[in-house]
Structures are given as structure tokens and as C-alpha cells.
mmCIF file of all heavy atoms in Angstrom:
data_model
loop_
_atom_site.group_PDB
_atom_site.id
_atom_site.type_symbol
_atom_site.label_atom_id
_atom_site.label_comp_id
_atom_site.label_asym_id
_atom_site.label_seq_id
_atom_site.Cartn_x
_atom_site.Cartn_y
_atom_site.Cartn_z
ATOM 1 N N LYS A 2 -5.603 -4.592 7.354
ATOM 2 C CA LYS A 2 -5.564 -3.179 7.010
ATOM 3 C C LYS A 2 -6.842 -2.730 6.323
ATOM 4 O O LYS A 2 -7.127 -1.560 6.256
ATOM 5 C CB LYS A 2 -4.366 -2.888 6.122
ATOM 6 C CG LYS A 2 -3.053 -3.047 6.850
ATOM 7 C CD LYS A 2 -1.891 -2.750 5.963
ATOM 8 C CE LYS A 2 -0.604 -2.955 6.723
ATOM 9 N NZ LYS A 2 0.566 -2.782 5.896
ATOM 10 N N GLU A 3 -7.613 -3.667 5.778
ATOM 11 C CA GLU A 3 -8.838 -3.322 5.072
ATOM 12 C C GLU A 3 -10.073 -3.423 5.955
ATOM 13 O O GLU A 3 -11.125 -2.966 5.582
ATOM 14 C CB GLU A 3 -9.009 -4.242 3.858
ATOM 15 C CG GLU A 3 -7.868 -4.121 2.871
ATOM 16 C CD GLU A 3 -7.932 -5.179 1.807
ATOM 17 O OE1 GLU A 3 -9.033 -5.704 1.549
ATOM 18 O OE2 GLU A 3 -6.885 -5.494 1.244
ATOM 19 N N GLN A 4 -9.936 -4.026 7.114
ATOM 20 C CA GLN A 4 -11.094 -4.236 7.981
ATOM 21 C C GLN A 4 -11.442 -2.942 8.696
ATOM 22 O O GLN A 4 -10.600 -2.332 9.350
ATOM 23 C CB GLN A 4 -10.797 -5.328 8.989
ATOM 24 C CG GLN A 4 -11.975 -5.663 9.854
ATOM 25 C CD GLN A 4 -11.669 -6.820 10.778
ATOM 26 O OE1 GLN A 4 -10.557 -7.292 10.852
ATOM 27 N NE2 GLN A 4 -12.670 -7.265 11.482
ATOM 28 N N LEU A 5 -12.678 -2.512 8.550
ATOM 29 C CA LEU A 5 -13.113 -1.286 9.204
ATOM 30 C C LEU A 5 -13.583 -1.540 10.618
ATOM 31 O O LEU A 5 -13.252 -0.806 11.535
ATOM 32 C CB LEU A 5 -14.236 -0.629 8.405
ATOM 33 C CG LEU A 5 -13.852 -0.083 7.044
ATOM 34 C CD1 LEU A 5 -15.086 0.470 6.336
ATOM 35 C CD2 LEU A 5 -12.806 0.991 7.179
ATOM 36 N N GLN A 6 -14.401 -2.575 10.795
ATOM 37 C CA GLN A 6 -15.010 -2.799 12.089
ATOM 38 C C GLN A 6 -15.601 -4.195 12.124
ATOM 39 O O GLN A 6 -15.988 -4.753 11.118
ATOM 40 C CB GLN A 6 -16.102 -1.761 12.311
ATOM 41 C CG GLN A 6 -16.707 -1.777 13.671
ATOM 42 C CD GLN A 6 -17.678 -0.627 13.869
ATOM 43 O OE1 GLN A 6 -17.638 0.349 13.144
ATOM 44 N NE2 GLN A 6 -18.543 -0.753 14.841
ATOM 45 N N PHE A 7 -15.696 -4.765 13.320
ATOM 46 C CA PHE A 7 -16.300 -6.080 13.473
ATOM 47 C C PHE A 7 -17.815 -6.020 13.329
ATOM 48 O O PHE A 7 -18.429 -6.917 12.814
ATOM 49 C CB PHE A 7 -15.948 -6.690 14.827
ATOM 50 C CG PHE A 7 -14.529 -7.164 14.901
ATOM 51 C CD1 PHE A 7 -13.616 -6.496 15.677
ATOM 52 C CD2 PHE A 7 -14.111 -8.272 14.190
ATOM 53 C CE1 PHE A 7 -12.309 -6.928 15.755
ATOM 54 C CE2 PHE A 7 -12.810 -8.714 14.255
ATOM 55 C CZ PHE A 7 -11.898 -8.034 15.039
ATOM 56 N N SER A 8 -18.441 -4.961 13.795
ATOM 57 C CA SER A 8 -19.896 -4.848 13.759
ATOM 58 C C SER A 8 -20.342 -4.162 12.482
ATOM 59 O O SER A 8 -19.989 -3.019 12.224
ATOM 60 C CB SER A 8 -20.405 -4.036 14.958
ATOM 61 O OG SER A 8 -20.024 -4.667 16.148
ATOM 62 N N VAL A 9 -21.131 -4.861 11.698
ATOM 63 C CA VAL A 9 -21.656 -4.306 10.455
ATOM 64 C C VAL A 9 -23.161 -4.529 10.459
ATOM 65 O O VAL A 9 -23.637 -5.622 10.727
ATOM 66 C CB VAL A 9 -21.036 -4.998 9.214
ATOM 67 C CG1 VAL A 9 -21.643 -4.464 7.948
ATOM 68 C CG2 VAL A 9 -19.521 -4.810 9.207
ATOM 69 N N TYR A 10 -23.904 -3.478 10.178
ATOM 70 C CA TYR A 10 -25.358 -3.552 10.155
ATOM 71 C C TYR A 10 -25.840 -3.166 8.768
ATOM 72 O O TYR A 10 -25.239 -2.321 8.107
ATOM 73 C CB TYR A 10 -25.963 -2.615 11.203
ATOM 74 C CG TYR A 10 -25.475 -2.923 12.597
ATOM 75 C CD1 TYR A 10 -24.354 -2.293 13.113
ATOM 76 C CD2 TYR A 10 -26.120 -3.870 13.369
ATOM 77 C CE1 TYR A 10 -23.890 -2.583 14.385
ATOM 78 C CE2 TYR A 10 -25.662 -4.165 14.648
ATOM 79 C CZ TYR A 10 -24.548 -3.522 15.145
ATOM 80 O OH TYR A 10 -24.090 -3.823 16.394
ATOM 81 N N ALA A 11 -26.928 -3.747 8.336
ATOM 82 C CA ALA A 11 -27.467 -3.459 7.011
ATOM 83 C C ALA A 11 -28.942 -3.108 7.116
ATOM 84 O O ALA A 11 -29.653 -3.599 7.991
ATOM 85 C CB ALA A 11 -27.293 -4.672 6.107
ATOM 86 N N ARG A 12 -29.384 -2.253 6.213
ATOM 87 C CA ARG A 12 -30.788 -1.876 6.145
ATOM 88 C C ARG A 12 -31.133 -1.696 4.677
ATOM 89 O O ARG A 12 -30.417 -1.038 3.943
ATOM 90 C CB ARG A 12 -31.060 -0.587 6.895
ATOM 91 C CG ARG A 12 -32.511 -0.115 6.727
ATOM 92 C CD ARG A 12 -32.768 1.167 7.467
ATOM 93 N NE ARG A 12 -32.851 0.971 8.903
ATOM 94 C CZ ARG A 12 -33.965 0.604 9.535
ATOM 95 N NH1 ARG A 12 -35.063 0.376 8.883
ATOM 96 N NH2 ARG A 12 -33.968 0.479 10.843
ATOM 97 N N VAL A 13 -32.236 -2.285 4.262
ATOM 98 C CA VAL A 13 -32.723 -2.116 2.901
ATOM 99 C C VAL A 13 -33.604 -0.875 2.879
ATOM 100 O O VAL A 13 -34.528 -0.743 3.681
ATOM 101 C CB VAL A 13 -33.518 -3.355 2.436
ATOM 102 C CG1 VAL A 13 -34.104 -3.122 1.060
ATOM 103 C CG2 VAL A 13 -32.635 -4.588 2.456
ATOM 104 N N CYS A 14 -33.302 0.054 1.977
ATOM 105 C CA CYS A 14 -34.087 1.281 1.838
ATOM 106 C C CYS A 14 -34.682 1.333 0.441
ATOM 107 O O CYS A 14 -33.992 1.052 -0.533
ATOM 108 C CB CYS A 14 -33.204 2.509 2.043
ATOM 109 S SG CYS A 14 -32.571 2.674 3.713
ATOM 110 N N ASN A 15 -35.932 1.693 0.367
ATOM 111 C CA ASN A 15 -36.606 1.831 -0.922
ATOM 112 C C ASN A 15 -36.528 3.280 -1.390
ATOM 113 O O ASN A 15 -37.415 4.072 -1.116
ATOM 114 C CB ASN A 15 -38.066 1.375 -0.832
ATOM 115 C CG ASN A 15 -38.176 -0.105 -0.575
ATOM 116 O OD1 ASN A 15 -37.399 -0.880 -1.114
ATOM 117 N ND2 ASN A 15 -39.117 -0.503 0.254
ATOM 118 N N GLY A 16 -35.449 3.613 -2.057
ATOM 119 C CA GLY A 16 -35.320 4.948 -2.615
ATOM 120 C C GLY A 16 -34.421 5.868 -1.817
ATOM 121 O O GLY A 16 -34.075 5.613 -0.668
ATOM 122 N N ASN A 17 -34.043 6.959 -2.469
ATOM 123 C CA ASN A 17 -33.126 7.933 -1.888
ATOM 124 C C ASN A 17 -33.728 8.665 -0.690
ATOM 125 O O ASN A 17 -33.012 9.031 0.235
ATOM 126 C CB ASN A 17 -32.710 8.928 -2.967
ATOM 127 C CG ASN A 17 -31.229 9.147 -2.994
ATOM 128 O OD1 ASN A 17 -30.481 8.418 -2.356
ATOM 129 N ND2 ASN A 17 -30.799 10.148 -3.732
ATOM 130 N N ASP A 18 -35.029 8.890 -0.697
ATOM 131 C CA ASP A 18 -35.668 9.567 0.433
ATOM 132 C C ASP A 18 -35.511 8.754 1.719
ATOM 133 O O ASP A 18 -35.233 9.307 2.787
ATOM 134 C CB ASP A 18 -37.153 9.821 0.158
ATOM 135 C CG ASP A 18 -37.368 10.861 -0.929
ATOM 136 O OD1 ASP A 18 -36.441 11.662 -1.181
ATOM 137 O OD2 ASP A 18 -38.461 10.878 -1.524
ATOM 138 N N ALA A 19 -35.679 7.436 1.615
ATOM 139 C CA ALA A 19 -35.520 6.570 2.787
ATOM 140 C C ALA A 19 -34.069 6.569 3.252
ATOM 141 O O ALA A 19 -33.795 6.552 4.459
ATOM 142 C CB ALA A 19 -35.976 5.152 2.465
ATOM 143 N N VAL A 20 -33.127 6.600 2.317
ATOM 144 C CA VAL A 20 -31.709 6.661 2.682
ATOM 145 C C VAL A 20 -31.435 7.934 3.469
ATOM 146 O O VAL A 20 -30.785 7.907 4.519
ATOM 147 C CB VAL A 20 -30.807 6.601 1.424
ATOM 148 C CG1 VAL A 20 -29.356 6.901 1.783
ATOM 149 C CG2 VAL A 20 -30.914 5.248 0.744
ATOM 150 N N LYS A 21 -31.931 9.068 2.988
ATOM 151 C CA LYS A 21 -31.721 10.347 3.671
ATOM 152 C C LYS A 21 -32.345 10.352 5.060
ATOM 153 O O LYS A 21 -31.779 10.891 6.011
ATOM 154 C CB LYS A 21 -32.273 11.514 2.837
ATOM 155 C CG LYS A 21 -31.536 11.730 1.545
ATOM 156 C CD LYS A 21 -30.100 12.113 1.806
ATOM 157 C CE LYS A 21 -29.366 12.332 0.498
ATOM 158 N NZ LYS A 21 -27.923 12.427 0.687
ATOM 159 N N MET A 22 -33.523 9.729 5.208
ATOM 160 C CA MET A 22 -34.187 9.664 6.506
ATOM 161 C C MET A 22 -33.326 8.879 7.503
ATOM 162 O O MET A 22 -33.101 9.327 8.628
ATOM 163 C CB MET A 22 -35.560 9.008 6.382
ATOM 164 C CG MET A 22 -36.292 8.885 7.714
ATOM 165 S SD MET A 22 -37.835 7.971 7.607
ATOM 166 C CE MET A 22 -37.243 6.329 7.280
ATOM 167 N N HIS A 23 -32.819 7.732 7.074
ATOM 168 C CA HIS A 23 -32.019 6.906 7.975
ATOM 169 C C HIS A 23 -30.653 7.542 8.235
ATOM 170 O O HIS A 23 -30.099 7.392 9.320
ATOM 171 C CB HIS A 23 -31.885 5.490 7.427
ATOM 172 C CG HIS A 23 -33.177 4.739 7.490
ATOM 173 N ND1 HIS A 23 -33.777 4.398 8.689
ATOM 174 C CD2 HIS A 23 -33.995 4.288 6.525
ATOM 175 C CE1 HIS A 23 -34.911 3.768 8.441
ATOM 176 N NE2 HIS A 23 -35.067 3.691 7.130
ATOM 177 N N GLU A 24 -30.129 8.275 7.257
ATOM 178 C CA GLU A 24 -28.894 9.010 7.481
ATOM 179 C C GLU A 24 -29.101 10.046 8.596
ATOM 180 O O GLU A 24 -28.242 10.214 9.474
ATOM 181 C CB GLU A 24 -28.436 9.707 6.205
ATOM 182 C CG GLU A 24 -27.167 10.516 6.381
ATOM 183 C CD GLU A 24 -26.758 11.260 5.132
ATOM 184 O OE1 GLU A 24 -27.361 11.048 4.052
ATOM 185 O OE2 GLU A 24 -25.829 12.081 5.236
ATOM 186 N N GLY A 25 -30.233 10.723 8.574
ATOM 187 C CA GLY A 25 -30.547 11.681 9.630
ATOM 188 C C GLY A 25 -30.630 11.029 10.994
ATOM 189 O O GLY A 25 -30.161 11.582 11.993
ATOM 190 N N ARG A 26 -31.221 9.836 11.056
ATOM 191 C CA ARG A 26 -31.304 9.111 12.331
ATOM 192 C C ARG A 26 -29.912 8.743 12.839
ATOM 193 O O ARG A 26 -29.636 8.816 14.035
ATOM 194 C CB ARG A 26 -32.141 7.845 12.163
ATOM 195 C CG ARG A 26 -33.609 8.116 11.982
ATOM 196 C CD ARG A 26 -34.376 6.830 11.825
ATOM 197 N NE ARG A 26 -35.787 7.107 11.621
ATOM 198 C CZ ARG A 26 -36.675 6.183 11.326
ATOM 199 N NH1 ARG A 26 -36.310 4.917 11.197
ATOM 200 N NH2 ARG A 26 -37.941 6.503 11.150
ATOM 201 N N LEU A 27 -29.037 8.319 11.908
ATOM 202 C CA LEU A 27 -27.675 7.986 12.316
ATOM 203 C C LEU A 27 -26.939 9.216 12.838
ATOM 204 O O LEU A 27 -26.248 9.160 13.846
ATOM 205 C CB LEU A 27 -26.902 7.373 11.142
ATOM 206 C CG LEU A 27 -27.310 5.967 10.734
ATOM 207 C CD1 LEU A 27 -26.613 5.563 9.439
ATOM 208 C CD2 LEU A 27 -27.009 4.972 11.836
ATOM 209 N N ARG A 28 -27.092 10.334 12.135
ATOM 210 C CA ARG A 28 -26.430 11.577 12.561
ATOM 211 C C ARG A 28 -26.916 12.000 13.952
ATOM 212 O O ARG A 28 -26.146 12.512 14.757
ATOM 213 C CB ARG A 28 -26.678 12.690 11.565
ATOM 214 C CG ARG A 28 -25.916 12.517 10.277
ATOM 215 C CD ARG A 28 -26.121 13.715 9.341
ATOM 216 N NE ARG A 28 -25.447 13.507 8.082
ATOM 217 C CZ ARG A 28 -24.145 13.702 7.875
ATOM 218 N NH1 ARG A 28 -23.383 14.111 8.866
ATOM 219 N NH2 ARG A 28 -23.608 13.490 6.694
ATOM 220 N N ALA A 29 -28.191 11.757 14.231
ATOM 221 C CA ALA A 29 -28.755 12.129 15.532
ATOM 222 C C ALA A 29 -28.222 11.252 16.665
ATOM 223 O O ALA A 29 -28.281 11.643 17.827
ATOM 224 C CB ALA A 29 -30.278 12.044 15.481
ATOM 225 N N SER A 30 -27.711 10.072 16.329
ATOM 226 C CA SER A 30 -27.239 9.160 17.380
ATOM 227 C C SER A 30 -25.736 8.890 17.284
ATOM 228 O O SER A 30 -25.269 7.834 17.694
ATOM 229 C CB SER A 30 -28.014 7.846 17.318
ATOM 230 O OG SER A 30 -27.808 7.216 16.071
ATOM 231 N N LEU A 31 -24.981 9.853 16.743
ATOM 232 C CA LEU A 31 -23.530 9.684 16.657
ATOM 233 C C LEU A 31 -22.922 9.536 18.050
ATOM 234 O O LEU A 31 -23.266 10.291 18.958
ATOM 235 C CB LEU A 31 -22.886 10.895 15.972
ATOM 236 C CG LEU A 31 -23.030 10.967 14.460
ATOM 237 C CD1 LEU A 31 -22.530 12.322 13.951
ATOM 238 C CD2 LEU A 31 -22.276 9.848 13.785
ATOM 239 N N PRO A 32 -22.013 8.574 18.217
ATOM 240 C CA PRO A 32 -21.366 8.432 19.525
ATOM 241 C C PRO A 32 -20.373 9.571 19.747
ATOM 242 O O PRO A 32 -19.748 10.043 18.796
ATOM 243 C CB PRO A 32 -20.633 7.083 19.411
ATOM 244 C CG PRO A 32 -20.440 6.874 17.949
ATOM 245 C CD PRO A 32 -21.586 7.555 17.265
ATOM 246 N N PRO A 33 -20.214 10.036 20.995
ATOM 247 C CA PRO A 33 -19.307 11.160 21.261
ATOM 248 C C PRO A 33 -17.850 10.824 20.949
ATOM 249 O O PRO A 33 -17.103 11.670 20.501
ATOM 250 C CB PRO A 33 -19.502 11.459 22.740
ATOM 251 C CG PRO A 33 -20.211 10.291 23.312
ATOM 252 C CD PRO A 33 -20.896 9.576 22.194
ATOM 253 N N ASN A 34 -17.440 9.589 21.188
ATOM 254 C CA ASN A 34 -16.060 9.169 20.941
ATOM 255 C C ASN A 34 -16.037 7.973 19.990
ATOM 256 O O ASN A 34 -15.660 6.877 20.357
ATOM 257 C CB ASN A 34 -15.357 8.782 22.246
ATOM 258 C CG ASN A 34 -15.210 9.950 23.178
ATOM 259 O OD1 ASN A 34 -14.865 11.043 22.721
ATOM 260 N ND2 ASN A 34 -15.485 9.752 24.445
ATOM 261 N N GLY A 35 -16.463 8.183 18.785
ATOM 262 C CA GLY A 35 -16.497 7.097 17.823
ATOM 263 C C GLY A 35 -16.953 7.607 16.483
ATOM 264 O O GLY A 35 -17.001 8.818 16.245
ATOM 265 N N SER A 36 -17.294 6.684 15.618
ATOM 266 C CA SER A 36 -17.749 7.095 14.294
ATOM 267 C C SER A 36 -18.719 6.065 13.738
ATOM 268 O O SER A 36 -18.758 4.921 14.172
ATOM 269 C CB SER A 36 -16.557 7.237 13.342
ATOM 270 O OG SER A 36 -15.915 5.991 13.156
ATOM 271 N N ILE A 37 -19.496 6.493 12.779
ATOM 272 C CA ILE A 37 -20.407 5.625 12.035
ATOM 273 C C ILE A 37 -20.065 5.816 10.566
ATOM 274 O O ILE A 37 -19.923 6.951 10.105
ATOM 275 C CB ILE A 37 -21.881 5.996 12.285
ATOM 276 C CG1 ILE A 37 -22.252 5.761 13.746
ATOM 277 C CG2 ILE A 37 -22.798 5.204 11.360
ATOM 278 C CD1 ILE A 37 -23.658 6.203 14.107
ATOM 279 N N ARG A 38 -19.920 4.729 9.854
ATOM 280 C CA ARG A 38 -19.673 4.797 8.421
ATOM 281 C C ARG A 38 -20.931 4.349 7.700
ATOM 282 O O ARG A 38 -21.475 3.298 7.997
ATOM 283 C CB ARG A 38 -18.485 3.926 8.044
ATOM 284 C CG ARG A 38 -17.171 4.498 8.544
ATOM 285 C CD ARG A 38 -16.075 3.455 8.474
ATOM 286 N NE ARG A 38 -14.796 4.002 8.836
ATOM 287 C CZ ARG A 38 -14.356 4.140 10.078
ATOM 288 N NH1 ARG A 38 -15.132 3.792 11.078
ATOM 289 N NH2 ARG A 38 -13.163 4.627 10.324
ATOM 290 N N LEU A 39 -21.375 5.147 6.749
ATOM 291 C CA LEU A 39 -22.585 4.850 5.983
ATOM 292 C C LEU A 39 -22.181 4.576 4.550
ATOM 293 O O LEU A 39 -21.511 5.391 3.919
ATOM 294 C CB LEU A 39 -23.545 6.045 6.040
ATOM 295 C CG LEU A 39 -24.774 5.984 5.141
ATOM 296 C CD1 LEU A 39 -25.704 4.855 5.586
ATOM 297 C CD2 LEU A 39 -25.495 7.315 5.156
ATOM 298 N N LEU A 40 -22.563 3.431 4.044
ATOM 299 C CA LEU A 40 -22.279 3.050 2.668
ATOM 300 C C LEU A 40 -23.597 2.763 1.974
ATOM 301 O O LEU A 40 -24.354 1.902 2.424
ATOM 302 C CB LEU A 40 -21.385 1.809 2.619
ATOM 303 C CG LEU A 40 -21.128 1.203 1.246
ATOM 304 C CD1 LEU A 40 -20.305 2.170 0.386
ATOM 305 C CD2 LEU A 40 -20.405 -0.123 1.382
ATOM 306 N N VAL A 41 -23.878 3.472 0.911
ATOM 307 C CA VAL A 41 -25.102 3.260 0.145
ATOM 308 C C VAL A 41 -24.730 2.480 -1.111
ATOM 309 O O VAL A 41 -23.847 2.890 -1.860
ATOM 310 C CB VAL A 41 -25.764 4.610 -0.229
ATOM 311 C CG1 VAL A 41 -27.007 4.373 -1.064
ATOM 312 C CG2 VAL A 41 -26.092 5.393 1.032
ATOM 313 N N VAL A 42 -25.393 1.359 -1.305
ATOM 314 C CA VAL A 42 -25.142 0.489 -2.447
ATOM 315 C C VAL A 42 -26.431 0.368 -3.240
ATOM 316 O O VAL A 42 -27.474 0.044 -2.679
ATOM 317 C CB VAL A 42 -24.684 -0.915 -1.977
ATOM 318 C CG1 VAL A 42 -24.444 -1.835 -3.149
ATOM 319 C CG2 VAL A 42 -23.442 -0.804 -1.112
ATOM 320 N N THR A 43 -26.344 0.621 -4.536
ATOM 321 C CA THR A 43 -27.530 0.484 -5.384
ATOM 322 C C THR A 43 -27.807 -0.993 -5.649
ATOM 323 O O THR A 43 -26.950 -1.850 -5.429
ATOM 324 C CB THR A 43 -27.336 1.200 -6.728
ATOM 325 O OG1 THR A 43 -26.294 0.532 -7.461
ATOM 326 C CG2 THR A 43 -27.003 2.669 -6.542
ATOM 327 N N GLU A 44 -29.006 -1.280 -6.120
ATOM 328 C CA GLU A 44 -29.362 -2.664 -6.419
ATOM 329 C C GLU A 44 -28.426 -3.251 -7.472
ATOM 330 O O GLU A 44 -27.997 -4.392 -7.365
ATOM 331 C CB GLU A 44 -30.813 -2.748 -6.895
ATOM 332 C CG GLU A 44 -31.288 -4.171 -7.065
ATOM 333 C CD GLU A 44 -32.776 -4.263 -7.346
ATOM 334 O OE1 GLU A 44 -33.500 -3.272 -7.146
ATOM 335 O OE2 GLU A 44 -33.205 -5.332 -7.775
ATOM 336 N N LYS A 45 -28.082 -2.466 -8.470
ATOM 337 C CA LYS A 45 -27.185 -2.941 -9.525
ATOM 338 C C LYS A 45 -25.802 -3.269 -8.955
ATOM 339 O O LYS A 45 -25.185 -4.273 -9.318
ATOM 340 C CB LYS A 45 -27.070 -1.904 -10.632
ATOM 341 C CG LYS A 45 -26.295 -2.384 -11.822
ATOM 342 C CD LYS A 45 -26.462 -1.459 -13.008
ATOM 343 C CE LYS A 45 -25.733 -2.046 -14.180
ATOM 344 N NZ LYS A 45 -26.569 -2.314 -15.299
ATOM 345 N N GLN A 46 -25.303 -2.434 -8.048
ATOM 346 C CA GLN A 46 -24.018 -2.712 -7.412
ATOM 347 C C GLN A 46 -24.105 -3.960 -6.544
ATOM 348 O O GLN A 46 -23.183 -4.778 -6.525
ATOM 349 C CB GLN A 46 -23.571 -1.518 -6.566
ATOM 350 C CG GLN A 46 -23.195 -0.305 -7.395
ATOM 351 C CD GLN A 46 -23.029 0.934 -6.545
ATOM 352 O OE1 GLN A 46 -23.729 1.125 -5.545
ATOM 353 N NE2 GLN A 46 -22.114 1.805 -6.945
ATOM 354 N N TYR A 47 -25.211 -4.119 -5.827
ATOM 355 C CA TYR A 47 -25.395 -5.285 -4.960
ATOM 356 C C TYR A 47 -25.392 -6.571 -5.780
ATOM 357 O O TYR A 47 -24.871 -7.591 -5.346
ATOM 358 C CB TYR A 47 -26.696 -5.151 -4.179
ATOM 359 C CG TYR A 47 -26.911 -6.253 -3.177
ATOM 360 C CD1 TYR A 47 -26.287 -6.212 -1.937
ATOM 361 C CD2 TYR A 47 -27.727 -7.334 -3.466
ATOM 362 C CE1 TYR A 47 -26.474 -7.224 -1.006
ATOM 363 C CE2 TYR A 47 -27.923 -8.349 -2.546
ATOM 364 C CZ TYR A 47 -27.291 -8.290 -1.330
ATOM 365 O OH TYR A 47 -27.473 -9.295 -0.424
ATOM 366 N N GLN A 48 -25.949 -6.518 -6.981
ATOM 367 C CA GLN A 48 -26.003 -7.696 -7.845
ATOM 368 C C GLN A 48 -24.617 -8.163 -8.261
ATOM 369 O O GLN A 48 -24.435 -9.326 -8.613
ATOM 370 C CB GLN A 48 -26.844 -7.414 -9.086
ATOM 371 C CG GLN A 48 -28.314 -7.286 -8.804
ATOM 372 C CD GLN A 48 -29.109 -6.835 -10.028
ATOM 373 O OE1 GLN A 48 -28.553 -6.546 -11.070
ATOM 374 N NE2 GLN A 48 -30.416 -6.759 -9.869
ATOM 375 N N SER A 49 -23.624 -7.282 -8.215
ATOM 376 C CA SER A 49 -22.282 -7.666 -8.642
ATOM 377 C C SER A 49 -21.405 -8.173 -7.495
ATOM 378 O O SER A 49 -20.210 -8.376 -7.671
ATOM 379 C CB SER A 49 -21.590 -6.488 -9.339
ATOM 380 O OG SER A 49 -21.341 -5.452 -8.414
#
């Protein structure tokens, strides 16, 4: 019940501007019959 998807991709972004840029790229390539989930994790959160 907690599993979202088998395919998980990660990208390291240096700063909020890079996150926004990649978010725009994802929005531009949204599948017509599907979804993309974007999760932003800070370095401090990643450390935990």
C-alpha cells in the first residue's frame, strides 16, 4: 500500500533554481495517461 512505483529516478540539484529548472522539464514531458511524482529532499533530510 505504500509503494508508489517500481521505477524511481534521482537527480542531485545544487539549489532551488536547479530544482525549478528540472521541475519545468518534467512538466514539459508529462505522459498523457500517467503521472510523475517529484520529491525534493534537502541535504539535512537526506542525512537522516
Side-chain angles (χ1 to χ4, degrees):
K2 292 180 181 176
E3 300 171 24
Q4 184 176 6
L5 293 177
Q6 187 174 341
F7 286 109
S8 300
V9 177
Y10 302 91
R12 175 180 286 275
V13 176
C14 294
N15 293 322
N17 228 11
D18 291 339
V20 170
K21 294 297 180 192
M22 179 186 69
H23 290 294
E24 179 183 352
R26 289 180 181 173
L27 289 172
R28 288 184 183 279
S30 61
L31 284 171
N34 296 317
S36 63
I37 296 175
R38 290 165 175 84
L39 172 66
L40 174 66
V41 178
V42 179
T43 66
E44 187 172 346
K45 187 167 184 120
Q46 291 168 326
Y47 185 81
Q48 289 173 356
S49 67

